[in-house]
Amino acid sequence: MPATDDGDPADHFAIDTITDASERGYDTILSLKFPYNNASFPEPGSAEMDAELDRLDQVLPTVMGKVDIITIGNEPFIESLPAERDHRLNEFYETVARHVIDHRAEQCGQNCATTLYMGALNRLDLENRRTPATERWMRFVRETPEIEGVDIHPHVPDGDNVQAFLDYILPRMRADQTFLVTEFSLVWYWKQHLQDTISPEFAQKYGFHTDTQVWEVIGAAIEEPFSERQWHDFLTSSAWFMEQATFLHDQMAMYRETGRLAVATYGFKQDNLMVRNWSPNKDPWLLNSVFAPYTVASRGSGMAAPGFWLESFRSLQNG
């Protein structure tokens, strides 16, 4: 949302990309991101809140009725000051949600092609994330007829932890509501293994010292991208990684078995932020990606090389 201060939202690369995809027949989801992790939430009725709603009024006409789903919020319980993850967070997002609902009713009509979700909740596997503010969030979702459901982002240290997300949200929604999973991964599991020693077989085959750590090999791939074979060998020679080889299928089965999943999406490609200032303490989002342009040499003609997950990702499209 802050990008609206820099010019016409229709010209912003994210909105231009998503509206172009929509026009070409793709189903699309747009999350409205309100980063308040370095500033207090504006109070409803204040000049600051009016300015935020003015930003919405710049964005919504460009996307309403064009994208299939608008998610109101991105990660509110992360993109906020820790001390304000209480009623102040709820009041801000409820005000925003009602403004979006009113705009849709006035400008897009009863049969508007865009549905609305509230998003997204993180780390519901941790008891300290299930707070009174989280309860109020879910109550607003349940009691607001225009809201279709809630978005979740299960980034977890263990795939089994995701059940706690479903156990929390499903009983707190109306029977006709569904949920989104617009992000999910094992990033915190990967991070636990960055300082593991690599396999002797990989070290010998590719000339690394036997005491080389996982993060150092990834750093070498960032510095000079590996061949597809070498990157594949690195991952498949790592027992900790291969223990999770069925992660995508396991997760999608869990979501689909609820009968309440609307859409799940998965991280498609590595980006610059994932590799910048690489260290053993960096969150290894790059290990999630379907395509690996920053750790694997290009196939040529601008084609990024796939990472480990392409086969699973592709098969799930046909599931």
Side-chain angles (χ1 to χ4, degrees):
M1 294 304 300
T4 59
D5 295 338
D6 299 330
D8 186 351
D11 296 330
H12 188 271
F13 76 93
I15 291 181
D16 180 62
T17 300
I18 202 169
T19 53
D20 177 66
S22 179
E23 289 170 0
R24 289 187 288 124
Y26 289 96
D27 297 331
T28 52
I29 304 172
L30 177 69
S31 295
L32 302 175
K33 181 182 176 78
F34 300 90
Y36 276 96
N37 43 314
N38 292 311
S40 290
F41 285 117
E43 295 182 9
S46 67
E48 293 78 10
M49 191 74 213
D50 289 344
E52 195 66 83
L53 299 181
D54 286 344
R55 294 186 184 97
L56 273 174
D57 288 339
Q58 295 177 59
V59 172
L60 293 177
T62 306
V63 296
M64 191 68 72
K66 298 178 182 177
V67 299
D68 296 276
I69 294 171
I70 289 177
T71 303
I72 300 165
N74 179 52
E75 294 179 335
F77 288 89
I78 292 177
E79 295 163 352
S80 54
L81 297 172
E84 295 190 1
R85 293 167 188 169
D86 54 20
H87 65 93
R88 288 167 287 188
L89 180 151
N90 298 113
E91 289 166 359
F92 172 78
Y93 279 96
E94 289 168 13
T95 301
V96 168
R98 291 190 182 98
H99 193 83
V100 175
I101 289 167
D102 289 346
H103 175 95
R104 186 179 66 166
E106 294 169 6
Q107 304 298 325
C108 198
Q110 189 172 12
N111 298 316
C112 186
T114 301
T115 57
L116 306 177
Y117 286 76
M118 298 292 291
L121 300 179
N122 302 82
R123 293 314 305 267
L124 292 175
D125 53 318
L126 300 177
E127 186 175 354
N128 64 5
R129 300 297 182 94
R130 302 190 292 270
T131 67
T134 320
E135 287 287 334
R136 175 168 168 174
W137 183 277
M138 291 304 305
R139 185 166 63 251
F140 180 80
V141 168
R142 181 176 65 252
E143 295 178 355
T144 307
E146 297 87 353
I147 299 296
E148 297 292 325
V150 69
D151 190 8
I152 57 174
H153 285 179
H155 298 295
V156 292
D158 188 304
D160 291 340
N161 288 31
V162 175
Q163 188 61 49
F165 284 73
L166 303 178
D167 291 344
Y168 186 83
I169 65 167
L170 292 176
R172 290 170 171 80
M173 295 196 297
R174 301 189 307 269
D176 65 316
Q177 287 180 310
T178 55
F179 66 96
L180 308 176
V181 189
T182 53
E183 296 181 23
F184 66 100
S185 80
L186 283 170
V187 65
W188 310 127
Y189 173 83
W190 308 140
K191 192 170 186 177
Q192 293 171 6
H193 293 279
L194 286 183
Q195 296 184 60
D196 287 6
T197 303
I198 62 174
S199 76
E201 296 79 12
F202 180 83
Q204 181 178 16
K205 182 174 181 179
Y206 290 101
F208 287 92
H209 292 295
T210 54
D211 60 353
T212 302
Q213 295 182 353
V214 166
W215 77 273
E216 293 175 301
V217 172
I218 296 172
I222 293 169
E223 185 71 23
E224 185 173 346
F226 290 176
S227 67
E228 289 184 46
R229 172 52 59 188
Q230 185 175 356
W231 184 248
H232 180 80
D233 287 349
F234 164 58
L235 296 177
T236 57
S237 68
S238 302
W240 54 271
F241 188 88
M242 293 308 293
E243 287 174 6
Q244 305 295 343
T246 61
F247 175 70
L248 289 191
H249 281 274
D250 295 343
Q251 290 297 294
M252 288 304 300
M254 187 183 303
Y255 303 145
R256 287 169 170 168
E257 284 170 3
T258 66
R260 306 279 294 279
L261 174 66
V263 183
T265 65
Y266 189 70
F268 200 61
K269 69 180 182 68
Q270 297 169 346
D271 62 33
N272 179 263
L273 290 176
M274 296 178 185
V275 301
R276 189 180 301 168
N277 300 319
W278 182 254
S279 78
N281 299 312
K282 178 87 169 179
D283 297 339
W285 299 102
L286 57 80
L287 291 177
N288 298 327
S289 304
V290 174
F291 281 87
Y294 284 85
T295 56
V296 183
S298 170
R299 287 182 166 184
S301 303
M303 293 183 65
F308 177 83
W309 302 106
L310 179 59
E311 184 178 344
S312 293
F313 184 85
R314 181 177 285 152
S315 69
L316 285 165
Q317 310 312 306
N318 302 319

